[in-house]
Amino acid sequence: HWKLSHTLKGMLLNELQIFVFFYLFSHMLTSEQMYYSFGFSSKPVFVGLMLFMLLFQPVNAVLSLIHNAVSRHFEYQADEYALDLGMDLRDPLCKIHMNNLSNFNPDPYYSTFYSSHPPLVLRLKAITSLIERQQVKQKVN
């Protein structure tokens, strides 16, 4: 991940998510309309925070979905980089998943929304496909 700058890109993505959170919070905290629409005549900060957290959940769900998609894309890139260095990660990935008692093939919807890493089955298919592509290139050359 380091060679492909995934760590830096992930940190920047997290910073962007934090910025969006505080930017929206600062606007909602000073919005009298928000307090009045929920039946408050004054603007206590704690109430503003609670209302904001309630209203921010859908935005956070979308941001988390994007973050997980980017993270999974980084995993595929890292796998491809390892193959370019001559490392076949299929056996080590299987061992890690077996040691961690991970689900090899989770529900696709659950995995898409909650997992930062691709399911093992999809990673193995992608790695096998990359290996086959490399072998075809070697035969052509």
Side-chain angles (χ1 to χ4, degrees), residues 15 17 22 26 31 45 48 57 67 82-83 85 88 91 100 105 107 111 117 122-123 136:
E15 293 298 319
Q17 188 170 356
F22 282 113
S26 69
S31 169
V45 175
Q57 286 177 353
H67 189 271
L83 281 174
L85 294 177
D88 186 353
D91 286 338
N100 292 339
N105 194 17
D107 178 70
S111 175
H117 288 64
L122 295 180
R123 283 182 85 173
V136 168

Side-chain angles (χ1 to χ4, degrees), residues 107-126:
D107 178 70
Y109 296 114
Y110 182 87
S111 175
T112 299
F113 196 77
Y114 292 109
S115 297
S116 60
H117 288 64
L120 179 63
V121 172
L122 295 180
R123 283 182 85 173
L124 293 177
K125 283 181 184 177

Side-chain angles (χ1 to χ4, degrees), residues 122-138:
L122 295 180
R123 283 182 85 173
L124 293 177
K125 283 181 184 177
I127 291 170
T128 302
S129 174
L130 288 170
I131 289 172
E132 290 170 356
R133 222 179 302 147
Q134 285 179 348
Q135 290 172 346
V136 168
K137 282 183 183 178
Q138 288 175 352

Side-chain angles (χ1 to χ4, degrees), residues 32-75:
E32 290 182 20
Q33 181 87 20
M34 182 188 70
Y35 290 96
Y36 294 138
S37 64
F38 283 96
F40 293 96
S41 56
S42 62
K43 298 189 310 183
V45 175
F46 182 72
V47 170
L49 178 62
M50 297 305 291
L51 292 174
F52 176 72
M53 294 303 291
L54 179 71
L55 297 173
F56 188 71
Q57 286 177 353
V59 175
N60 194 45
V62 171
L63 292 175
S64 294
L65 184 65
I66 293 168
H67 189 271
N68 285 339
V70 169
S71 179
R72 285 190 300 275
H73 178 70
F74 287 168
E75 288 300 319

